[in-house]
Amino acid sequence: MKTDDLILALSADAAPRGPPLRRRVALGLIFGALVSFAAFMSVIGPRPDFAGAAHTMRFDLKFVDTLAVLAPAFFLCLRLSRPEAAPGAMLAWLLAPVVILGAAVAMELAMVPSAQWGAKLVGSNSMHCLSVIPILSIPPLAALIFALREGAPRYPALTGALAGAAAAGVAATIYASNCPDDSPLFVVTWYPIATGVVVLVGALAGRRWLAW
Amino acid sequence: MTRETSEAREEVWAALMRSALAGDEQAYRRLLSEIGRVVRPLIRGAFARARLSDADTEDVVQETLLAIHLKRQTWDQSQRVTPWINAIARHKAIDAMRRRGARRVEPIEDFEAVIAAPEQQDPHTRSDVERLMEMLTPRARDIVRSISLEEQTITATAARLGMTEVAVRVALHRALKSLAGAWKAAQS
């Protein structure tokens, strides 16, 4: 087939159907988050003392941490879904959760006697954290990867990894309302492990499904 | 190429692409032909430098045009269109060269610096696209053939096949998408 013939077929299909990529990916994230939230509410739900805990700084700080992962990862992932985009200076935004959590850990170490550090770090339900976050990440990660298939990322594995980080951010935000451990020492130990698993899955999914 | 002319190309292409995204088939056809003329010498040059055969550069041009088509919604209309087109062409060219076993894949030049090759007879007879079309359903193949090789309109094709125009458009879009999928599958 000559190139001019192919161009005829392509031009007959000129008008795109469906929403633009950005909206598609944003809808994917929202849809996945709603599915995870519904599953969370019907199976475990927030912890019993949720209302009281919401007035404590350590509890609220967990949400700042998880949202500080979710927002930059999502926007960076969105940007990298375009073929001409390079990560560039935006990568620095991923340091936001590191800085916030680092400051929280420093304050915790200053306020809590060293004899309690070990107990705070181990917490009471690390296995719960390590399983619930990855499970709640599945719907948003799947929805993000599905929506991103319409994209043209120059770095498919990196884009997938960022989708994984955003999905883990969603899952950790939901899970934090159930998690009884509020110490930054617990958060800095277990949440990143759970997130890392999802980032890795996202990178593999990106390499497999986002290459074009 | 001077700065003014590459700036002029950006303006013309961005305008054509906006019209195309709004459904203007004539503008889109002109844009794709112009892109083909600019991308062709780039790919040919890159293949020559990598000492690869010139024979299937036209397949890479076609693959690039198909990718531009299927990914056109990834163009952010607030950004310049030429770097976006350049990135897709580069991605497809490098991919094609790796597949053909090029040892050194040199960076492809930006086509900011490339002058469009004069219109020339494209000697293509039995292309990748044609081979891949055999993987489509008979109905989809019929629609693509009718519109491309037989130069029929969507309306005429719809009338001949007893389908609605919308159904023909949807089928055409799906067929183009499966062509790209088949292309990718054939490579790996």
Side-chain angles (χ1 to χ4, degrees):
Chain A
M1 184 191 275
K2 293 186 175 174
T3 302
D4 283 347
D5 302 327
L6 177 69
I7 288 175
L8 269 179
L10 299 181
S11 60
D13 187 37
R17 258 169 298 274
L21 180 69
R22 216 184 291 195
R23 198 178 311 155
R24 227 180 254 261
V25 178
L27 287 174
L29 183 82
I30 293 169
F31 174 75
L34 288 176
V35 171
S36 286
F37 185 68
F40 172 79
M41 291 308 280
S42 59
V43 180
I44 52 178
R47 61 198 238 193
D49 64 337
F50 176 82
H55 294 294
T56 66
M57 205 179 72
R58 284 190 180 81
F59 182 79
D60 294 343
L61 199 58
K62 290 197 292 187
F63 296 92
V64 176
D65 291 334
T66 57
L67 291 171
V69 172
L70 166 60
F74 175 70
F75 286 111
L76 203 50
C77 170
L78 203 52
R79 181 192 164 102
L80 289 182
S81 63
R82 303 202 319 261
E84 83 283 21
M90 265 182 94
L91 269 180
W93 283 101
L94 290 175
L95 289 175
V98 178
V99 171
I100 293 172
L101 204 49
V105 166
M107 273 159 53
E108 182 81 341
L109 291 178
M111 291 188 323
V112 175
S114 58
Q116 286 178 32
W117 290 357
K120 292 264 184 202
L121 186 151
V122 173
S124 55
N125 71 337
S126 55
M127 289 325 285
H128 207 216
C129 168
L130 290 185
S131 48
V132 174
I133 291 181
I135 289 168
L136 290 179
S137 297
I138 296 171
L141 180 58
L144 277 175
I145 296 285
F146 181 75
L148 284 166
R149 276 178 63 77
E150 297 295 318
R154 191 162 148 201
Y155 311 100
L158 177 61
T159 308
L162 287 162
V170 169
T173 304
I174 296 172
Y175 169 70
S177 68
N178 171 280
C179 169
D181 296 297
D182 297 338
S183 168
L185 295 176
F186 180 88
V187 176
V188 80
T189 309
W190 304 105
Y191 279 58
I193 298 177
T195 303
V197 171
V198 184
V199 168
L200 193 67
V201 172
L204 293 173
R207 207 174 58 178
R208 171 84 176 75
W209 286 298
L210 299 184
W212 52 285
Chain B
M1 178 181 265
T2 63
R3 192 173 186 82
E4 290 75 51
T5 48
S6 84
E7 213 36 62
R9 178 187 287 160
E10 164 65 32
E11 266 171 43
V12 172
W13 283 12
L16 287 174
M17 190 62 164
R18 280 197 188 93
S19 309
L21 289 172
D24 181 341
E25 297 179 15
Q26 291 307 316
Y28 197 30
R29 196 173 157 186
R30 194 184 136 201
L31 175 66
L32 291 172
S33 307
E34 284 192 24
I35 292 173
R37 281 211 300 282
V38 171
V39 162
R40 189 170 294 120
L42 266 183
I43 292 173
R44 209 163 265 165
F47 267 54
R49 278 196 305 280
R51 297 176 200 286
L52 290 170
S53 152
D54 198 41
D56 37 28
T57 49
E58 202 57 31
D59 285 325
V60 184
V61 172
Q62 295 190 356
E63 211 190 332
T64 302
L65 292 175
L66 186 56
I68 286 172
H69 175 65
L70 293 175
K71 301 298 184 185
R72 65 200 184 286
Q73 292 220 57
T74 66
W75 175 46
D76 176 346
Q77 296 199 28
S78 67
Q79 305 286 322
R80 293 164 63 85
V81 77
T82 35
W84 176 83
I85 293 168
N86 205 354
I88 293 182
R90 201 183 271 250
H91 178 84
K92 284 294 165 191
I94 290 175
D95 212 33
M97 287 162 73
R98 290 225 173 96
R99 239 153 43 216
R100 288 167 178 78
R103 293 246 169 78
R104 265 186 326 144
V105 179
E106 286 178 33
I108 318 285
E109 321 150 58
D110 273 356
F111 55 49
E112 316 276 329
V114 169
I115 297 162
E119 195 84 68
Q120 53 189 172
Q121 199 60 40
D122 159 11
H124 241 52
T125 44
R126 180 94 177 131
S127 66
D128 279 357
V129 177
E130 229 157 317
R131 269 191 295 276
L132 295 171
M133 278 197 10
E134 284 159 16
M135 302 171 87
L136 298 176
T137 62
R139 169 57 60 101
R141 192 160 53 225
D142 190 354
I143 290 171
V144 175
R145 254 179 213 292
S146 163
I147 290 162
S148 59
L149 299 171
E150 292 153 26
E151 305 195 24
Q152 297 295 310
T153 59
I154 296 258
T155 319
T157 307
R160 180 170 62 80
L161 297 173
M163 295 168 74
T164 65
E165 286 192 27
V166 173
V168 172
R169 282 182 195 283
V170 169
L172 173 65
H173 181 72
R174 289 214 183 115
L176 295 172
K177 234 176 150 171
S178 6
L179 275 183
W183 219 319
K184 201 168 156 269
Q187 291 158 9
S188 47

